[in-house]
Amino acid sequence: MIRPLTLAPLVAALLLALPAAAATSDATLTTVSERSGFIKTGRYDEVIALCDAFAKKYPQAVRCQDFGTTPEGRPMKVLVVSRAGAFTPQEAQAKGLPVMLIQGGIHAGEIDGKDAGFLALRRALDGEIAPGALDRQVLLFVPVFNVDGHERFAAWNRPNQRGPEEMGWRTTAQNYNLNRDYAKADTPEMQAMLRLVNAWDPLAYVDLHVTDGAKFEHDVSIQVEPVHSGDEALRQAGTALRDGVIQRLAAEGSLPLPFYPSFVKNDEPESGFEDGVATPRFSHGYFQLRNRLAMLVETHSWRDYPHRVKVTYNTIVALLDLVAANGKQWQQQARAADARSARLAGQPVALDYRTTDRVRTIDFRGYAYTRTPSEVSGALMTRYDETTPQVWHLPMRDEIVPARVVDAPKAGYLVPAAHAQWVAAKLDQHGVQYRRLDRALPGAKVQAFRASKATLAAQSVEGHQRATLEGDWNAETQDVRAGALFVPIAQPKARLAMALLEPQAPDALVAWGEFNNYFERKEYMEDYVAEEVARDMLKDPKVKAEFERRLKDDAAFAGDPQARLEFFARRHSSWDTQYRRYPVMRTDTAPR
């Protein structure tokens, strides 16, 4: 059961550490949360009012802008903050300023980022923290990403979290989880965010969350990519950003972690932890594909709201200082990564990552606990004693290596004209370059991917029936109609293009079921027809020998009447050559 939120001595100390609302002369710049002692959080009309109030109070440093509209018609707000007069992407680029985008409320019940962000922003603009930082960068602050979810407001929307008293909901009004939508970009909200990202090209993208899970003393985790994934040289900048924030948080009294603290086996602390690389459906798995830095901040849900807001506030302050100090160097490294990506043709590229079986033991600050049978569920239940801190010695698997590596195409991808319109729209959303072919390519030498096995998921995920393919690229000759798309590999977003178009990438368009029609049988040969065809084909000694060899060597085939008939159907001219053929092709030569 969740303990009632009380102002225990620790919380009281945190409230003293956080600036009081009375400390500012302008109450229009404070949040409901700040005025309540960080017990409550406000509704979205407060975000709209604060956005305008900050722009009015600091006209030389802040612009309040809409960057989208939600399905329920609410404005999506961003505060553009710069002491250098860079209020457009063009001005930021002309001045060579790094851009950092910080967002709160992608899961609107995890709303620490909104309240901490407004507090940090006001204090930075007043010169109380991060001196000079806003002269050396542009800050884009999105207080709430999931705006409609924010307004599904209730006291128990986060049953595994302490405070605030009421909060928003995890998903959007269309019931999408926005932090599963970066690659597929189904939602109006994500499409608006990607337009903002494409316009400003932020060096760093910071996503503020709250964990779920067990009870322990660690109060925040900081994960950054590229660290284990993406461009090898750019990982140096990602590591410096992660370690710099962790160092500063530790100096403020936090117990930060560089991995997400979720047990390998749910509710079993002794199972330990496994680090990994998020796929690009997640924010911090997506931006490394663009050669940019992404940080996932997860405060611990069982710390009460004043503590979590303070930790998030400290994280934002650390980020402002670090980007101000290192942003231009990291920008140069990111641009160098862009140049390397444009030269990836024919080079091995990791599509996914895995954790090896190598195990080490770490000390982890938890609480005493018991695991005893539950009279309610009948299962073993973990019960934590938060009055008794305890150091756990737990297994950790954190050696991360590529799981699937493919060579990048030598020239690029060809998207057939039949799919050009919707695929072009998807590439536009991500800022991936392509061009339309104004003439046909008859008899084009291409590589085609034919699935030896296609598994369509039994249950939908985010409204999609996902597909998992096994197979290989092989040389073929195909007629390519005019109107097809050519997606060159020679571009800065080459890794992102591969993540969307490689058929075995974990969040490719095909993996999200966008091409499932190609893995469904559409035409059939009746069994009695197949029998007649088979008897005729068996007159060919080569076919007969191959059939008998399959019967002898493959027991599953021998025992499957439909597989035996399909052996002959596949050799008949009526066989559908498009069945299990992924329609996007690779090419070694750029079309003229």
Side-chain angles (χ1 to χ4, degrees):
M1 181 176 293
I2 300 176
R3 297 186 311 184
L5 185 63
T6 60
L7 291 181
L10 175 59
V11 178
L14 288 166
L15 290 174
L16 290 173
L18 286 164
T24 178
S25 59
D26 191 347
T28 64
L29 300 180
T30 64
T31 60
V32 166
S33 184
E34 187 176 356
R35 295 193 297 274
S36 73
F38 303 96
I39 303 302
K40 304 175 183 288
T41 194
R43 302 295 294 267
Y44 192 68
D45 57 359
E46 174 187 63
V47 172
I48 297 172
L50 281 169
C51 190
D52 290 335
F54 270 80
K56 182 178 179 180
K57 174 71 174 179
Y58 308 100
Q60 304 303 315
V62 180
R63 298 289 184 272
C64 173
Q65 299 176 357
D66 292 2
F67 70 95
T69 303
T70 72
E72 291 188 334
R74 297 182 176 91
M76 301 176 71
K77 293 290 187 178
V78 59
L79 286 82
V80 181
V81 186
S82 169
R83 286 289 191 192
F87 298 114
T88 68
Q90 296 75 19
E91 290 168 340
Q93 185 176 14
K95 294 175 184 292
L97 292 172
V99 178
M100 175 167 60
L101 193 157
I102 298 179
Q103 74 181 22
I106 189 172
H107 296 153
E110 306 167 22
I111 204 59
D112 310 17
K114 175 190 69 174
D115 294 322
F118 276 122
L119 176 60
L121 179 56
R122 189 188 74 228
R123 297 200 72 206
L125 289 165
D126 287 343
E128 298 174 38
I129 60 168
L134 295 176
D135 297 303
R136 290 174 281 170
Q137 66 189 297
V138 178
L139 171 64
L140 306 179
F141 176 46
V142 177
V144 180
F145 186 7
N146 177 13
V147 176
D148 290 344
H150 186 279
E151 292 306 279
R152 185 177 169 181
F153 208 72
W156 288 98
N157 282 347
R158 288 278 292 166
N160 307 310
Q161 177 179 299
R162 289 195 176 114
E165 288 182 350
E166 296 177 287
M167 71 286 287
W169 189 253
R170 182 178 185 85
T171 57
T172 71
Q174 297 174 325
N175 213 36
Y176 282 102
N177 183 340
L178 287 177
N179 203 29
R180 305 296 184 272
D181 199 35
Y182 281 86
K184 59 187 177 66
D186 285 331
T187 62
E189 293 96 333
M190 185 57 71
Q191 292 167 18
M193 177 60 74
L194 290 176
R195 286 194 297 271
L196 185 69
V197 165
N198 288 336
W200 283 93
D201 189 21
L203 168 69
Y205 187 97
V206 181
D207 192 6
L208 303 173
H209 285 250
V210 182
T211 67
D212 290 303
K215 295 181 180 180
F216 42 75
E217 290 194 294
H218 295 277
D219 55 358
V220 63
S221 71
I222 303 293
Q223 292 174 274
V224 172
E225 291 298 336
V227 168
H228 304 294
S229 64
D231 183 88
E232 290 276 355
L234 191 57
R235 297 180 191 188
Q236 178 183 356
T239 302
L241 177 63
R242 181 197 66 183
D243 293 352
V245 169
I246 286 176
Q247 181 181 8
R248 284 162 174 77
L249 289 176
E252 293 290 339
S254 278
L255 297 171
L257 296 166
F259 61 90
Y260 188 86
S262 179
F263 299 132
V264 171
K265 295 182 181 178
N266 186 48
D267 205 32
E268 295 186 26
E270 64 274 14
S271 67
F273 302 106
E274 178 182 313
D275 202 359
V277 172
T279 65
R281 73 189 70 174
F282 299 93
S283 62
H284 63 305
Y286 173 77
F287 280 89
Q288 57 92 0
L289 298 172
R290 301 176 70 114
N291 301 314
R292 299 299 181 262
L293 311 177
M295 175 179 288
L296 176 69
V297 179
E298 295 268 5
T299 56
H300 186 39
S301 61
W302 292 110
R303 294 298 189 107
D304 30 34
Y305 199 52
H307 185 102
R308 298 203 317 270
V309 171
K310 176 63 176 174
V311 173
T312 306
Y313 167 89
N314 288 340
T315 302
I316 294 170
V317 175
L319 285 163
L320 288 171
D321 284 335
L322 285 164
V323 172
N326 303 284
K328 291 207 170 183
Q329 176 189 346
W330 293 342
Q331 262 188 323
Q332 292 173 357
Q333 291 174 295
R335 288 171 185 152
D338 285 346
R340 286 189 293 272
S341 290
R343 300 192 298 269
L344 279 176
Q347 301 300 310
V349 176
L351 298 180
D352 202 0
Y353 295 83
R354 65 178 178 86
T355 307
T356 71
D357 292 332
R358 182 178 177 182
V359 179
R360 63 188 181 94
T361 300
I362 64 169
D363 292 343
F364 190 86
R365 290 178 58 166
Y367 298 109
Y369 68 92
T370 59
R371 281 182 57 76
T372 55
S374 166
E375 65 277 12
V376 177
S377 68
L380 283 177
M381 184 61 59
T382 304
R383 296 171 175 83
Y384 298 94
D385 177 3
E386 294 178 79
T387 67
T388 309
Q390 191 177 77
V391 176
W392 300 337
H393 307 290
L394 300 180
M396 162 61 86
R397 292 169 53 211
D398 57 359
E399 182 180 60
I400 299 169
V401 298
R404 185 182 297 277
V405 177
V406 300
D407 289 344
K410 292 182 179 178
Y413 297 93
L414 291 167
V415 179
H419 295 282
Q421 183 174 355
W422 75 265
V423 173
K426 194 61 60 180
L427 297 175
D428 287 340
Q429 289 165 5
H430 292 283
V432 173
Q433 300 168 17
Y434 64 89
R435 61 181 171 88
R436 293 182 184 272
L437 303 186
D438 56 10
R439 63 183 182 88
L441 302 175
K445 303 296 184 183
V446 300
Q447 294 170 13
F449 185 96
R450 293 185 181 271
S452 58
K453 182 179 181 182
T455 304
L456 305 185
Q459 183 174 343
S460 70
V461 178
E462 292 289 296
H464 291 257
Q465 183 186 28
R466 284 181 54 83
T468 303
L469 306 183
E470 298 176 23
D472 294 293
W473 292 101
N474 288 293
E476 290 191 10
T477 300
Q478 295 285 338
D479 293 333
V480 179
R481 293 181 60 85
L485 306 181
F486 172 61
V487 184
I489 201 66
Q491 61 173 299
K493 296 185 179 70
R495 282 189 172 84
L496 181 53
M498 293 183 69
L500 295 173
L501 298 177
E502 276 295 324
Q504 293 179 299
D507 284 327
L509 299 178
V510 67
W512 282 105
E514 300 291 359
F515 293 99
N516 279 2
N517 266 345
Y518 288 84
F519 309 106
E520 301 169 1
R521 286 283 297 275
K522 303 296 186 179
E523 186 60 89
Y524 299 86
M525 181 181 287
E526 296 287 356
D527 287 358
Y528 69 88
V529 175
E531 287 277 354
E532 294 174 3
V533 167
R535 293 181 192 283
D536 188 56
M537 285 186 177
L538 284 170
K539 296 175 184 177
D540 184 329
K542 290 183 180 179
V543 174
K544 186 172 189 259
E546 185 178 350
F547 180 63
E548 291 175 346
R549 185 165 53 251
R550 285 287 303 276
L551 291 174
K552 178 182 177 182
D553 297 342
D554 188 342
F557 173 80
D560 186 341
Q562 289 302 312
R564 290 169 66 156
L565 290 176
E566 187 175 296
F567 174 90
F568 299 99
R570 282 180 174 272
R571 287 159 175 77
H572 194 265
S573 60
S574 66
W575 181 256
D576 180 7
T577 59
Q578 300 303 312
Y579 177 52
R580 289 186 176 176
R581 178 183 175 274
Y582 174 49
V584 177
M585 298 160 280
R586 292 162 53 125
T587 177
D588 290 345
T589 305
R592 296 183 178 180

